[in-house]
Structure formats: structure tokens, C-alpha cells
Amino acid sequence: MTKKVTRERGIDRAIDILDCLHNHGRPMVVNELAAIMGAPRSTIYHMTKILLDRSILDSYSEGRVFLGRKLFVYGSSVSEQYSLIEISKPFIDKLAETLGERVELNALSDWKQSILYFSPGKRSYFNHYSQSATCPLPLTSSGRFLINGIEEEIVLSSIPEKDYFREEARVMTFERFMEESREANAQRYSVTLDLLETHLSAISMPITDKNGKVLATIGTTFPTAEFEPSKVRFIEALRHTVEAVTDKFTN
């Protein structure tokens, strides 16, 4: 009986931590969390460590923690009325039909790009990445947006060094990744050529909430040989789609 009560109390504490961070809307250190919640510091330290290890919380500088990006993936499983995935599906399907290329909805999960949904276009044989597959952030066009708003030192310490390599050859550096992220966020689209695979290129754009926080991206992947003749058309089509999804999601 004691174990059951203790376990239930631990769940309560975890939910209380998430509620406290959500209600205050900013990262906090453990001491501040414990003080606000009126709970023992050792208990809150133990619970935040578990939540950090499971990516339910993200870590920030000076020991602060805040709601983790993995919560967005969980949120995608909520009812169709509130799900970004369900809102995006018809727009993604239509864009894939229009372009004839694969179109994806991607988000951040455990410091990888996670494919939440995709429509294969007319070349289903070309791209073998399945729904729920994950890819290294530095090798994806979406990755340039999915780290937006996260402090550089957190990005540096969180992305494994191997994620800058493809088949044991380095194809990206942290410095270049951060520079390309800044450029992408300034121009509102990101392009990668032959990073994830030698024949594969991608263009992505971010979906943001009313406060400008990046929630996910919509992007198209296609053969690199098709990039130059298709770039302008793809960017314009993506822009219209992202605007339509963002408008429907935020209103």
C-alpha cells in the first residue's frame, strides 16, 4: 500500500512541476520550483532529473528547466479537433499532389527530426523514410528551424557528434549548422542539398504559434537533380501551404 501511495504521489509531483512551469511561462531552477510548490528541494530535484532524462523537460543555462519539446509530440495525439497533424493532413496531401513530390510534417523529438506525417507524392519509391522515423537534425532542412529559440550551448551539448556525419564522413559542423539556422529563420525557408543522402534535397518552412515559437515544419523532399528548375515554384507553394495551416491552427 505504501509503494502505491508513494508512486501516486510521485506522479502528482511530476504533474505539479509541469503545471508550475506552464503557469509561469519561463524556465526555472530547482530551488525556485521547490519554493513556489512548497515542496522539498530533494524531491523536486529527483523528479526534474527523471523528466529531463525522458525529454519531458528540456535543460537551459544555469541549471534552469522548462517544458520539453517531446510534449508537442504527445500533444499531437490529442483529438482531431486540436491536432496539428490532423489540421495539416489535407493541406499536405494537396501540396504533394500539386508538386508531385513527397511532403512532410516534421517536429523535434529527443533532439532528432521526427516525421509526424507525410504524403508520398508521385515517387513513393524514392524516399524510404517512414512515418515516425527520425533523422539527425544537422542533416535536415527542418532542423534549421526546430532548434530556433534554444540556446546555442544547449544545442551543442544535446546533439550527438555523430549526427554531423553521414556514413562516417563529416558533412556538417556545429558552427555551420547554427549559421544556416540563423539564415533560414531570417529568410523563412531552409534548403539542404545532398546532406541526409547524396541524391536527396529538401526545402522546409516553419509553422509557428501566435508568439512566433516554432511548433513544426512542412517541407518537401525530392531528387537533387530537380532542385534548380523547381526551387522557386516549391518555395512559393510551400509558403501558401504553411500560411494556410498556420491560419487554421491559430484561429
Side-chain angles (χ1 to χ4, degrees):
M1 183 67 176
T2 302
K3 286 185 177 179
K4 181 180 179 182
V5 172
T6 302
R7 188 179 298 113
E8 290 176 349
R9 186 56 182 155
I11 294 172
D12 284 342
R13 287 294 194 198
I15 294 174
D16 288 343
I17 290 171
L18 299 180
D19 283 344
C20 185
L21 291 169
H22 170 71
N23 292 335
H24 286 78
R26 58 180 173 80
M28 296 182 184
V29 296
V30 170
N31 283 347
E32 186 178 15
L33 272 171
I36 292 173
M37 295 170 60
R41 182 185 180 279
S42 59
T43 300
I44 302 306
Y45 178 84
H46 176 69
M47 291 305 304
T48 54
K49 185 179 186 304
I50 292 174
L51 294 172
L52 283 166
D53 289 342
R54 300 299 296 270
S55 299
I56 305 302
L57 295 180
D58 281 342
S59 60
Y60 289 75
S61 61
E62 301 174 346
R64 298 173 298 155
V65 298
F66 195 58
L67 302 176
R69 300 299 179 94
K70 193 171 186 178
L71 292 175
F72 172 72
V73 177
Y74 290 159
S76 297
S77 299
V78 180
S79 65
E80 292 185 3
Q81 183 178 359
Y82 299 102
S83 171
L84 178 58
I85 297 176
E86 294 303 321
I87 288 173
S88 302
K89 277 182 179 179
F91 295 97
I92 288 175
D93 290 342
K94 181 179 179 181
L95 181 59
E97 181 180 356
T98 299
L99 298 181
E101 304 291 353
R102 176 182 170 113
V103 179
E104 298 176 354
L105 177 70
N106 295 309
L108 182 67
S109 177
D110 293 336
W111 293 99
K112 303 285 186 182
Q113 173 201 275
S114 178
I115 302 173
L116 302 183
Y117 177 74
F118 76 90
S119 187
K122 297 176 181 177
R123 291 193 258 215
S124 58
Y125 61 87
F126 176 72
N127 187 326
H128 64 268
Y129 294 97
S130 62
Q131 193 161 305
S132 79
T134 59
C135 304
L137 287 173
L139 307 190
T140 66
S141 60
S142 292
R144 275 86 183 133
F145 294 111
L146 296 177
I147 62 168
N148 187 40
I150 305 176
E151 297 177 27
E152 285 197 19
E153 62 265 33
I154 302 299
V155 177
L156 177 61
S157 62
S158 299
I159 297 179
E161 179 66 13
K162 63 182 178 62
D163 284 5
Y164 295 91
F165 288 73
R166 185 186 70 231
E167 299 176 355
E168 300 184 359
R170 178 180 287 279
V171 293
M172 181 58 54
T173 64
F174 171 75
E175 292 76 16
R176 180 180 158 198
F177 180 47
M178 295 308 300
E179 181 181 353
E180 290 183 2
S181 175
R182 288 188 289 270
E183 291 174 353
N185 282 279
Q187 65 188 6
R188 304 302 290 173
Y189 71 86
S190 174
V191 172
T192 54
L193 306 177
D194 299 323
L195 278 182
L196 194 60
E197 294 185 10
T198 54
H199 64 283
L200 187 67
S201 293
I203 302 175
S204 296
M205 291 185 181
I207 300 172
T208 59
D209 64 13
K210 293 180 179 179
N211 298 315
K213 179 181 178 181
V214 175
L215 302 175
T217 66
I218 293 179
T220 180
T221 61
F222 49 90
T224 299
E226 301 293 328
F227 176 71
E228 286 300 335
S230 304
K231 176 182 177 181
V232 174
R233 179 169 63 92
F234 284 1
I235 290 174
E236 190 63 21
L238 269 172
R239 181 173 291 112
H240 286 306
T241 299
V242 167
E243 288 174 353
V245 171
T246 301
D247 182 66
K248 191 171 182 65
F249 185 70
T250 56
N251 292 300

